[in-house]
Amino acid sequence: KTPECPVKKLSWISAAQYGQLLELSEQTPLVASAKLPGDAPVAFHQCVEHWAMHNKEAMAISDEVDEINYFQLNNHANQLAHYLLEHCRSGPGSTTSEVQKEYPPIAIYMERGVSAVTAMLAVLKAGAGYMPLDPGHPKERLEYLLTDSGTAVVICNTYSEKTKITNQIVNR
């Protein structure tokens, strides 16, 4: 409506949608009950851990093929996070903060679903950042994104004739 308006001032949701989100966040135990000592900010993966301890059997994610409860989500994400820290991200004696400064983001090359969310959570738990890659993008675009970001690790579960990547963590 106003082409001269800077992007940072554009509203992505309507006032009614914003009100619904505020109301929902006040009612959601995941956010409301996940307080750390001293009211420290709570990271997303800490909320999932809290929810997994108190509501193990509650469904966390579902897609067309799979569904997973909070306990399973947290467990799977922990396993992948430990693998990332041991094999892909850290050198001897390095801490999470050192890992964040030293390494580029981890790329996640997956279709949307349970596995992708688990991978995202695992990367956060490992103290890293992630860069989602859409398997539907052309190979040239994916190569550009990987090169430009300096990404050295790609997590994937999708076989693509274009990329020849399947069910693995690839160190580039």
Side-chain angles (χ1 to χ4, degrees):
K1 295 178 184 176
T2 53
E4 66 282 348
C5 183
V7 172
K8 69 180 180 179
K9 292 190 177 188
L10 293 175
S11 176
W12 295 100
I13 59 174
S14 69
Q17 290 170 323
Y18 183 75
Q20 288 175 334
L21 287 174
L22 281 177
E23 184 180 322
L24 181 62
S25 70
E26 291 169 1
Q27 297 172 1
T28 305
L30 175 63
V31 176
S33 65
K35 300 287 184 194
L36 295 178
D39 287 329
V42 179
F44 173 71
H45 67 276
Q46 292 169 317
C47 289
V48 172
E49 288 168 359
H50 177 83
W51 199 247
M53 286 189 311
H54 299 345
N55 299 288
K56 293 179 181 183
E57 297 303 318
M59 185 172 46
I61 312 166
S62 66
D63 60 27
E64 303 83 33
V65 178
D66 201 7
E67 67 179 40
I68 189 170
N69 64 39
Y70 280 96
F71 179 78
Q72 294 166 322
L73 171 63
N74 193 52
N75 189 37
H76 293 283
N78 282 340
Q79 290 173 0
L80 180 54
H82 284 281
Y83 181 88
L84 291 170
L85 285 169
E86 290 173 23
H87 299 285
C88 303
R89 305 293 290 172
S90 61
S94 65
T95 64
T96 299
S97 60
E98 290 170 347
V99 170
Q100 288 172 318
K101 292 175 190 171
E102 187 177 340
Y103 292 96
I106 294 175
I108 299 176
Y109 178 80
M110 295 182 180
E111 296 289 341
R112 292 180 183 186
V114 171
S115 295
V117 174
T118 303
M120 291 175 195
L121 182 59
V123 171
L124 295 175
K125 285 175 169 271
Y130 64 85
M131 179 178 68
L133 297 174
D134 184 346
H137 283 169
K139 181 178 180 180
E140 295 78 23
R141 174 72 177 149
L142 296 171
E143 288 173 354
Y144 170 78
L145 290 170
L146 291 170
T147 303
D148 189 55
S149 68
T151 298
V153 177
V154 180
I155 303 172
C156 54
N157 72 346
T158 303
Y159 180 79
S160 169
E161 204 48 52
K162 293 187 287 189
T163 60
K164 306 291 187 205
I165 296 175
T166 184
N167 291 329
Q168 58 189 329
I169 297 176
V170 179
N171 284 305
R172 290 175 36 102

